[in-house]
Amino acid sequence: MKKFLLSVIAVFSLVLVVGCGKKSPIIGTWKGETNDGLKTTFVFEKGDKVSYENQYGIKSEGTYKVDGKKVTIKLKSWDQEKVYEFEVKDDKLDLTATDKYSPSYKGMEKK
């Protein structure tokens, strides 16, 4: 009986540890500007959903995937997905474009 109870406790502990997982540091609402001054807001939700809005009221939704210090974002309004290197420090998010055609977002504040 003791072995059975220990086994049950071990299984529940494992499920608890695996289920909690590590929360992505980019989850939340971030407001800031592109490197050329376009005011933007990104909302990264738990899971893989992201939404975007800029100062002209242009909105889009899509998905994102975090891999290490890179985030791949695919919005419905973009022709293709874009890969950014990201850094979160003191509730500020930097998204640095990995290609020369995409804008970068520096110092976006968490709201």
Side-chain angles (χ1 to χ4, degrees):
M1 185 65 164
K2 284 183 182 182
K3 287 183 181 182
F4 175 74
L5 286 175
L6 287 175
S7 296
V8 170
I9 290 171
V11 168
F12 280 121
S13 297
L14 182 61
V15 168
L16 182 63
V17 169
V18 171
C20 289
K22 187 175 179 182
K23 181 180 166 187
S24 174
I26 68 170
I27 291 175
T29 300
W30 301 92
K31 293 186 177 196
E33 296 182 359
T34 62
N35 52 345
D36 57 358
L38 180 66
K39 293 180 181 166
T40 57
T41 300
F42 279 98
V43 179
F44 294 95
E45 297 178 23
K46 186 176 180 183
D48 69 346
K49 299 209 182 295
V50 62
S51 58
Y52 165 90
E53 183 174 0
N54 70 24
Q55 70 192 44
Y56 301 110
I58 296 173
K59 299 177 183 181
S60 190
E61 296 178 337
T63 58
Y64 75 97
K65 180 179 149 190
V66 174
D67 183 15
K69 286 294 191 178
K70 290 188 178 182
V71 60
T72 302
I73 302 171
K74 175 61 176 126
L75 294 175
K76 292 176 184 175
S77 62
W78 292 353
D79 344 352
Q80 60 189 23
E81 64 185 23
K82 299 179 189 249
V83 179
Y84 291 91
E85 293 179 352
F86 74 88
E87 181 178 21
V88 177
K89 186 174 181 183
D90 299 327
D91 282 337
K92 293 195 186 249
L93 171 66
D94 290 341
L95 294 172
T96 305
T98 59
D99 66 85
K100 63 182 178 178
Y101 303 108
S102 299
S104 292
Y105 306 83
K106 300 287 184 181
M108 298 185 80
E109 295 184 3
K110 192 166 191 175
K111 301 295 177 183

